Amino acid sequence: REELVESGGGSVETGGSLRLTCVGVGDIFCNNCMGWYRRAPGKASEGVAAIDLRDNPTYSSSVRGRFTIVKDKANNLLHLQMKNVTAEDTAMYWCVCDGGYCHSARTPYFGFRGQGTQVTVSA
């Protein structure tokens, strides 16, 4: 079975840091782009970050400068390093991949995604 599995979510205080991790299980092949999107309660999905085959990242304006998307090619992992988090970062986060145009704004529409991991930021 091919799937993406996220981990690393949890509770963190405002201003703190958290690292999300995504691993591909099975024969999954993300041939162009991997990324993260999120959805907060009562809000629309928001593309957070994406990274292409050449390791060029894109970010939403809401996280740029605070979040970093990183590939660990040796271990076939994708990370989202979150720093200086705020209550606005509270959401379910999904790891996604797709073969099309690679940009963070497209990530909510990517065809392959994991089950998600919850991030909750408290005051």
Side-chain angles (χ1 to χ4, degrees):
R1 177 181 177 181
E2 303 171 348
E3 61 180 332
L4 297 171
V5 179
E6 303 95 338
S7 63
S11 297
V12 59
E13 293 183 347
T14 297
S17 299
L18 206 62
R19 188 177 76 164
L20 305 184
T21 297
C22 175
V23 59
V25 178
D27 293 329
I28 186 170
F29 180 62
C30 294
N31 58 349
N32 184 56
C33 185
M34 295 193 74
W36 297 87
Y37 80 95
R38 66 186 181 185
R39 188 166 65 239
K43 296 186 177 180
S45 296
E46 177 190 13
V48 174
I51 188 165
D52 67 14
L53 279 177
R54 295 181 177 84
D55 292 343
N56 296 312
T58 56
Y59 299 96
S60 67
S61 58
S62 62
V63 306
R64 190 176 297 118
R66 300 186 298 119
F67 291 11
T68 304
I69 187 168
V70 179
K71 287 182 190 175
D72 177 352
K73 295 178 182 178
N75 296 296
N76 198 29
L77 301 173
L78 181 73
H79 299 294
L80 183 67
Q81 182 67 49
M82 307 166 62
K83 296 182 179 180
N84 196 22
V85 297
T86 72
E88 297 299 310
D89 297 317
T90 293
M92 182 71 80
Y93 286 73
W94 284 270
C95 172
V96 293
C97 74
D98 197 77
Y101 173 61
C102 194
H103 192 280
S104 59
R106 288 195 64 245
T107 53
Y109 310 103
F110 280 11
F112 204 89
R113 69 195 67 191
Q115 294 300 309
T117 186
Q118 176 69 37
V119 172
T120 302
V121 181
S122 59

PDB file of all heavy atoms in Angstrom, residues 42-71:
ATOM      1  N   GLY A  42     -13.019  25.892  10.775  1.00  0.00           N
ATOM      2  CA  GLY A  42     -13.846  26.961  10.256  1.00  0.00           C
ATOM      3  C   GLY A  42     -13.214  27.786   9.158  1.00  0.00           C
ATOM      4  O   GLY A  42     -13.791  28.771   8.712  1.00  0.00           O
ATOM      5  N   LYS A  43     -12.030  27.385   8.715  1.00  0.00           N
ATOM      6  CA  LYS A  43     -11.328  28.152   7.673  1.00  0.00           C
ATOM      7  C   LYS A  43     -11.066  27.275   6.454  1.00  0.00           C
ATOM      8  O   LYS A  43     -11.122  26.055   6.518  1.00  0.00           O
ATOM      9  CB  LYS A  43     -10.014  28.707   8.214  1.00  0.00           C
ATOM     10  CG  LYS A  43     -10.188  29.718   9.332  1.00  0.00           C
ATOM     11  CD  LYS A  43      -8.849  30.335   9.714  1.00  0.00           C
ATOM     12  CE  LYS A  43      -9.032  31.396  10.792  1.00  0.00           C
ATOM     13  NZ  LYS A  43      -7.722  32.006  11.174  1.00  0.00           N
ATOM     14  N   ALA A  44     -10.764  27.935   5.351  1.00  0.00           N
ATOM     15  CA  ALA A  44     -10.427  27.219   4.127  1.00  0.00           C
ATOM     16  C   ALA A  44      -9.021  26.640   4.217  1.00  0.00           C
ATOM     17  O   ALA A  44      -8.190  27.112   5.007  1.00  0.00           O
ATOM     18  CB  ALA A  44     -10.515  28.166   2.937  1.00  0.00           C
ATOM     19  N   SER A  45      -8.752  25.631   3.403  1.00  0.00           N
ATOM     20  CA  SER A  45      -7.413  25.068   3.339  1.00  0.00           C
ATOM     21  C   SER A  45      -6.417  26.116   2.850  1.00  0.00           C
ATOM     22  O   SER A  45      -6.748  26.943   1.991  1.00  0.00           O
ATOM     23  CB  SER A  45      -7.390  23.862   2.412  1.00  0.00           C
ATOM     24  OG  SER A  45      -8.205  22.833   2.925  1.00  0.00           O
ATOM     25  N   GLU A  46      -5.225  26.052   3.389  1.00  0.00           N
ATOM     26  CA  GLU A  46      -4.176  27.005   3.019  1.00  0.00           C
ATOM     27  C   GLU A  46      -2.905  26.252   2.662  1.00  0.00           C
ATOM     28  O   GLU A  46      -2.403  25.456   3.464  1.00  0.00           O
ATOM     29  CB  GLU A  46      -3.885  27.953   4.184  1.00  0.00           C
ATOM     30  CG  GLU A  46      -2.750  28.929   3.898  1.00  0.00           C
ATOM     31  CD  GLU A  46      -2.301  29.702   5.131  1.00  0.00           C
ATOM     32  OE1 GLU A  46      -2.683  29.322   6.256  1.00  0.00           O
ATOM     33  OE2 GLU A  46      -1.574  30.704   4.968  1.00  0.00           O
ATOM     34  N   GLY A  47      -2.382  26.495   1.491  1.00  0.00           N
ATOM     35  CA  GLY A  47      -1.101  25.935   1.119  1.00  0.00           C
ATOM     36  C   GLY A  47      -0.011  26.568   1.954  1.00  0.00           C
ATOM     37  O   GLY A  47       0.047  27.799   2.061  1.00  0.00           O
ATOM     38  N   VAL A  48       0.847  25.761   2.550  1.00  0.00           N
ATOM     39  CA  VAL A  48       1.864  26.274   3.458  1.00  0.00           C
ATOM     40  C   VAL A  48       3.229  26.345   2.798  1.00  0.00           C
ATOM     41  O   VAL A  48       3.885  27.389   2.808  1.00  0.00           O
ATOM     42  CB  VAL A  48       1.943  25.392   4.728  1.00  0.00           C
ATOM     43  CG1 VAL A  48       3.096  25.831   5.623  1.00  0.00           C
ATOM     44  CG2 VAL A  48       0.627  25.439   5.491  1.00  0.00           C
ATOM     45  N   ALA A  49       3.667  25.224   2.236  1.00  0.00           N
ATOM     46  CA  ALA A  49       5.009  25.181   1.660  1.00  0.00           C
ATOM     47  C   ALA A  49       5.080  24.060   0.632  1.00  0.00           C
ATOM     48  O   ALA A  49       4.351  23.077   0.718  1.00  0.00           O
ATOM     49  CB  ALA A  49       6.058  24.959   2.750  1.00  0.00           C
ATOM     50  N   ALA A  50       5.994  24.232  -0.316  1.00  0.00           N
ATOM     51  CA  ALA A  50       6.247  23.206  -1.316  1.00  0.00           C
ATOM     52  C   ALA A  50       7.711  23.248  -1.706  1.00  0.00           C
ATOM     53  O   ALA A  50       8.376  24.286  -1.569  1.00  0.00           O
ATOM     54  CB  ALA A  50       5.366  23.422  -2.547  1.00  0.00           C
ATOM     55  N   ILE A  51       8.207  22.105  -2.187  1.00  0.00           N
ATOM     56  CA  ILE A  51       9.597  22.040  -2.611  1.00  0.00           C
ATOM     57  C   ILE A  51       9.677  21.156  -3.845  1.00  0.00           C
ATOM     58  O   ILE A  51       9.072  20.085  -3.896  1.00  0.00           O
ATOM     59  CB  ILE A  51      10.492  21.525  -1.466  1.00  0.00           C
ATOM     60  CG1 ILE A  51      11.967  21.636  -1.838  1.00  0.00           C
ATOM     61  CG2 ILE A  51      10.121  20.114  -1.036  1.00  0.00           C
ATOM     62  CD1 ILE A  51      12.902  21.483  -0.625  1.00  0.00           C
ATOM     63  N   ASP A  52      10.411  21.624  -4.857  1.00  0.00           N
ATOM     64  CA  ASP A  52      10.440  20.888  -6.118  1.00  0.00           C
ATOM     65  C   ASP A  52      11.665  19.974  -6.199  1.00  0.00           C
ATOM     66  O   ASP A  52      12.431  19.847  -5.240  1.00  0.00           O
ATOM     67  CB  ASP A  52      10.366  21.856  -7.294  1.00  0.00           C
ATOM     68  CG  ASP A  52      11.594  22.752  -7.427  1.00  0.00           C
ATOM     69  OD1 ASP A  52      12.626  22.474  -6.788  1.00  0.00           O
ATOM     70  OD2 ASP A  52      11.514  23.741  -8.173  1.00  0.00           O
ATOM     71  N   LEU A  53      11.832  19.370  -7.355  1.00  0.00           N
ATOM     72  CA  LEU A  53      12.914  18.404  -7.548  1.00  0.00           C
ATOM     73  C   LEU A  53      14.295  19.030  -7.358  1.00  0.00           C
ATOM     74  O   LEU A  53      15.241  18.341  -6.983  1.00  0.00           O
ATOM     75  CB  LEU A  53      12.821  17.796  -8.945  1.00  0.00           C
ATOM     76  CG  LEU A  53      11.820  16.663  -9.137  1.00  0.00           C
ATOM     77  CD1 LEU A  53      11.800  16.228 -10.589  1.00  0.00           C
ATOM     78  CD2 LEU A  53      12.134  15.491  -8.221  1.00  0.00           C
ATOM     79  N   ARG A  54      14.390  20.306  -7.631  1.00  0.00           N
ATOM     80  CA  ARG A  54      15.677  20.999  -7.480  1.00  0.00           C
ATOM     81  C   ARG A  54      15.837  21.619  -6.096  1.00  0.00           C
ATOM     82  O   ARG A  54      16.741  22.432  -5.880  1.00  0.00           O
ATOM     83  CB  ARG A  54      15.814  22.060  -8.559  1.00  0.00           C
ATOM     84  CG  ARG A  54      15.885  21.492  -9.972  1.00  0.00           C
ATOM     85  CD  ARG A  54      16.057  22.598 -11.009  1.00  0.00           C
ATOM     86  NE  ARG A  54      16.207  22.086 -12.350  1.00  0.00           N
ATOM     87  CZ  ARG A  54      15.194  21.755 -13.137  1.00  0.00           C
ATOM     88  NH1 ARG A  54      13.957  21.895 -12.695  1.00  0.00           N
ATOM     89  NH2 ARG A  54      15.400  21.298 -14.347  1.00  0.00           N
ATOM     90  N   ASP A  55      14.920  21.261  -5.209  1.00  0.00           N
ATOM     91  CA  ASP A  55      14.937  21.753  -3.825  1.00  0.00           C
ATOM     92  C   ASP A  55      14.659  23.252  -3.736  1.00  0.00           C
ATOM     93  O   ASP A  55      15.120  23.923  -2.798  1.00  0.00           O
ATOM     94  CB  ASP A  55      16.265  21.435  -3.128  1.00  0.00           C
ATOM     95  CG  ASP A  55      16.447  19.938  -2.908  1.00  0.00           C
ATOM     96  OD1 ASP A  55      15.453  19.200  -2.991  1.00  0.00           O
ATOM     97  OD2 ASP A  55      17.587  19.517  -2.662  1.00  0.00           O
ATOM     98  N   ASN A  56      13.915  23.770  -4.685  1.00  0.00           N
ATOM     99  CA  ASN A  56      13.480  25.170  -4.615  1.00  0.00           C
ATOM    100  C   ASN A  56      12.190  25.237  -3.812  1.00  0.00           C
ATOM    101  O   ASN A  56      11.189  24.629  -4.198  1.00  0.00           O
ATOM    102  CB  ASN A  56      13.247  25.732  -6.012  1.00  0.00           C
ATOM    103  CG  ASN A  56      14.510  25.782  -6.824  1.00  0.00           C
ATOM    104  OD1 ASN A  56      15.539  26.253  -6.358  1.00  0.00           O
ATOM    105  ND2 ASN A  56      14.445  25.288  -8.055  1.00  0.00           N
ATOM    106  N   PRO A  57      12.166  25.965  -2.706  1.00  0.00           N
ATOM    107  CA  PRO A  57      10.963  26.040  -1.891  1.00  0.00           C
ATOM    108  C   PRO A  57      10.091  27.244  -2.228  1.00  0.00           C
ATOM    109  O   PRO A  57      10.578  28.259  -2.743  1.00  0.00           O
ATOM    110  CB  PRO A  57      11.529  26.187  -0.480  1.00  0.00           C
ATOM    111  CG  PRO A  57      12.760  27.004  -0.678  1.00  0.00           C
ATOM    112  CD  PRO A  57      13.306  26.607  -2.033  1.00  0.00           C
ATOM    113  N   THR A  58       8.816  27.113  -1.951  1.00  0.00           N
ATOM    114  CA  THR A  58       7.908  28.254  -1.961  1.00  0.00           C
ATOM    115  C   THR A  58       7.094  28.191  -0.670  1.00  0.00           C
ATOM    116  O   THR A  58       6.870  27.100  -0.122  1.00  0.00           O
ATOM    117  CB  THR A  58       6.947  28.249  -3.159  1.00  0.00           C
ATOM    118  OG1 THR A  58       6.210  27.016  -3.178  1.00  0.00           O
ATOM    119  CG2 THR A  58       7.695  28.395  -4.474  1.00  0.00           C
ATOM    120  N   TYR A  59       6.672  29.358  -0.203  1.00  0.00           N
ATOM    121  CA  TYR A  59       5.944  29.442   1.062  1.00  0.00           C
ATOM    122  C   TYR A  59       4.772  30.407   0.933  1.00  0.00           C
ATOM    123  O   TYR A  59       4.809  31.355   0.151  1.00  0.00           O
ATOM    124  CB  TYR A  59       6.854  29.958   2.175  1.00  0.00           C
ATOM    125  CG  TYR A  59       8.058  29.095   2.462  1.00  0.00           C
ATOM    126  CD1 TYR A  59       9.295  29.378   1.878  1.00  0.00           C
ATOM    127  CD2 TYR A  59       7.957  27.999   3.315  1.00  0.00           C
ATOM    128  CE1 TYR A  59      10.400  28.591   2.135  1.00  0.00           C
ATOM    129  CE2 TYR A  59       9.069  27.212   3.582  1.00  0.00           C
ATOM    130  CZ  TYR A  59      10.277  27.509   2.987  1.00  0.00           C
ATOM    131  OH  TYR A  59      11.374  26.712   3.248  1.00  0.00           O
ATOM    132  N   SER A  60       3.769  30.175   1.766  1.00  0.00           N
ATOM    133  CA  SER A  60       2.713  31.157   1.862  1.00  0.00           C
ATOM    134  C   SER A  60       3.259  32.365   2.615  1.00  0.00           C
ATOM    135  O   SER A  60       4.206  32.264   3.401  1.00  0.00           O
ATOM    136  CB  SER A  60       1.513  30.578   2.609  1.00  0.00           C
ATOM    137  OG  SER A  60       1.838  30.337   3.961  1.00  0.00           O
ATOM    138  N   SER A  61       2.655  33.511   2.372  1.00  0.00           N
ATOM    139  CA  SER A  61       3.131  34.724   3.028  1.00  0.00           C
ATOM    140  C   SER A  61       2.961  34.644   4.545  1.00  0.00           C
ATOM    141  O   SER A  61       3.704  35.277   5.293  1.00  0.00           O
ATOM    142  CB  SER A  61       2.382  35.940   2.483  1.00  0.00           C
ATOM    143  OG  SER A  61       0.989  35.802   2.678  1.00  0.00           O
ATOM    144  N   SER A  62       2.006  33.841   5.001  1.00  0.00           N
ATOM    145  CA  SER A  62       1.735  33.757   6.437  1.00  0.00           C
ATOM    146  C   SER A  62       2.814  33.001   7.210  1.00  0.00           C
ATOM    147  O   SER A  62       2.924  33.157   8.434  1.00  0.00           O
ATOM    148  CB  SER A  62       0.375  33.104   6.677  1.00  0.00           C
ATOM    149  OG  SER A  62       0.368  31.778   6.180  1.00  0.00           O
ATOM    150  N   VAL A  63       3.613  32.185   6.521  1.00  0.00           N
ATOM    151  CA  VAL A  63       4.625  31.400   7.224  1.00  0.00           C
ATOM    152  C   VAL A  63       6.042  31.721   6.776  1.00  0.00           C
ATOM    153  O   VAL A  63       7.014  31.265   7.407  1.00  0.00           O
ATOM    154  CB  VAL A  63       4.377  29.883   7.063  1.00  0.00           C
ATOM    155  CG1 VAL A  63       2.965  29.521   7.477  1.00  0.00           C
ATOM    156  CG2 VAL A  63       4.689  29.419   5.649  1.00  0.00           C
ATOM    157  N   ARG A  64       6.174  32.476   5.692  1.00  0.00           N
ATOM    158  CA  ARG A  64       7.509  32.768   5.160  1.00  0.00           C
ATOM    159  C   ARG A  64       8.363  33.437   6.236  1.00  0.00           C
ATOM    160  O   ARG A  64       7.941  34.386   6.895  1.00  0.00           O
ATOM    161  CB  ARG A  64       7.408  33.657   3.931  1.00  0.00           C
ATOM    162  CG  ARG A  64       8.714  33.812   3.166  1.00  0.00           C
ATOM    163  CD  ARG A  64       8.511  34.630   1.909  1.00  0.00           C
ATOM    164  NE  ARG A  64       7.607  33.968   0.982  1.00  0.00           N
ATOM    165  CZ  ARG A  64       6.436  34.485   0.598  1.00  0.00           C
ATOM    166  NH1 ARG A  64       6.041  35.652   1.054  1.00  0.00           N
ATOM    167  NH2 ARG A  64       5.666  33.827  -0.245  1.00  0.00           N
ATOM    168  N   GLY A  65       9.572  32.919   6.388  1.00  0.00           N
ATOM    169  CA  GLY A  65      10.477  33.451   7.404  1.00  0.00           C
ATOM    170  C   GLY A  65      10.379  32.735   8.740  1.00  0.00           C
ATOM    171  O   GLY A  65      11.255  32.896   9.593  1.00  0.00           O
ATOM    172  N   ARG A  66       9.326  31.938   8.914  1.00  0.00           N
ATOM    173  CA  ARG A  66       9.161  31.193  10.166  1.00  0.00           C
ATOM    174  C   ARG A  66       9.210  29.678   9.945  1.00  0.00           C
ATOM    175  O   ARG A  66       9.664  28.942  10.822  1.00  0.00           O
ATOM    176  CB  ARG A  66       7.830  31.554  10.832  1.00  0.00           C
ATOM    177  CG  ARG A  66       7.671  33.011  11.179  1.00  0.00           C
ATOM    178  CD  ARG A  66       6.388  33.261  11.976  1.00  0.00           C
ATOM    179  NE  ARG A  66       5.190  32.906  11.231  1.00  0.00           N
ATOM    180  CZ  ARG A  66       4.317  31.969  11.627  1.00  0.00           C
ATOM    181  NH1 ARG A  66       4.521  31.295  12.745  1.00  0.00           N
ATOM    182  NH2 ARG A  66       3.241  31.712  10.903  1.00  0.00           N
ATOM    183  N   PHE A  67       8.710  29.230   8.809  1.00  0.00           N
ATOM    184  CA  PHE A  67       8.689  27.803   8.497  1.00  0.00           C
ATOM    185  C   PHE A  67       9.724  27.502   7.429  1.00  0.00           C
ATOM    186  O   PHE A  67       9.987  28.327   6.541  1.00  0.00           O
ATOM    187  CB  PHE A  67       7.315  27.389   7.968  1.00  0.00           C
ATOM    188  CG  PHE A  67       6.200  27.413   8.978  1.00  0.00           C
ATOM    189  CD1 PHE A  67       6.351  27.995  10.236  1.00  0.00           C
ATOM    190  CD2 PHE A  67       4.981  26.838   8.672  1.00  0.00           C
ATOM    191  CE1 PHE A  67       5.319  28.016  11.153  1.00  0.00           C
ATOM    192  CE2 PHE A  67       3.939  26.845   9.576  1.00  0.00           C
ATOM    193  CZ  PHE A  67       4.104  27.444  10.811  1.00  0.00           C
ATOM    194  N   THR A  68      10.274  26.288   7.493  1.00  0.00           N
ATOM    195  CA  THR A  68      11.232  25.833   6.494  1.00  0.00           C
ATOM    196  C   THR A  68      10.877  24.423   6.064  1.00  0.00           C
ATOM    197  O   THR A  68      10.696  23.547   6.915  1.00  0.00           O
ATOM    198  CB  THR A  68      12.660  25.848   7.052  1.00  0.00           C
ATOM    199  OG1 THR A  68      12.982  27.162   7.534  1.00  0.00           O
ATOM    200  CG2 THR A  68      13.655  25.470   5.963  1.00  0.00           C
ATOM    201  N   ILE A  69      10.791  24.210   4.768  1.00  0.00           N
ATOM    202  CA  ILE A  69      10.533  22.875   4.244  1.00  0.00           C
ATOM    203  C   ILE A  69      11.861  22.285   3.790  1.00  0.00           C
ATOM    204  O   ILE A  69      12.653  22.947   3.102  1.00  0.00           O
ATOM    205  CB  ILE A  69       9.502  22.911   3.089  1.00  0.00           C
ATOM    206  CG1 ILE A  69       9.114  21.502   2.664  1.00  0.00           C
ATOM    207  CG2 ILE A  69       9.995  23.745   1.910  1.00  0.00           C
ATOM    208  CD1 ILE A  69       7.909  21.459   1.740  1.00  0.00           C
ATOM    209  N   VAL A  70      12.103  21.063   4.208  1.00  0.00           N
ATOM    210  CA  VAL A  70      13.399  20.431   3.968  1.00  0.00           C
ATOM    211  C   VAL A  70      13.212  18.980   3.555  1.00  0.00           C
ATOM    212  O   VAL A  70      12.426  18.257   4.165  1.00  0.00           O
ATOM    213  CB  VAL A  70      14.275  20.468   5.240  1.00  0.00           C
ATOM    214  CG1 VAL A  70      15.611  19.784   4.994  1.00  0.00           C
ATOM    215  CG2 VAL A  70      14.489  21.897   5.708  1.00  0.00           C
ATOM    216  N   LYS A  71      13.955  18.567   2.561  1.00  0.00           N
ATOM    217  CA  LYS A  71      13.991  17.156   2.183  1.00  0.00           C
ATOM    218  C   LYS A  71      15.182  16.488   2.850  1.00  0.00           C
ATOM    219  O   LYS A  71      16.296  17.004   2.801  1.00  0.00           O
ATOM    220  CB  LYS A  71      14.163  17.001   0.680  1.00  0.00           C
ATOM    221  CG  LYS A  71      12.978  17.337  -0.175  1.00  0.00           C
ATOM    222  CD  LYS A  71      13.363  17.058  -1.626  1.00  0.00           C
ATOM    223  CE  LYS A  71      12.365  17.575  -2.592  1.00  0.00           C
ATOM    224  NZ  LYS A  71      12.814  17.396  -3.987  1.00  0.00           N
TER     225      LYS A  71
END
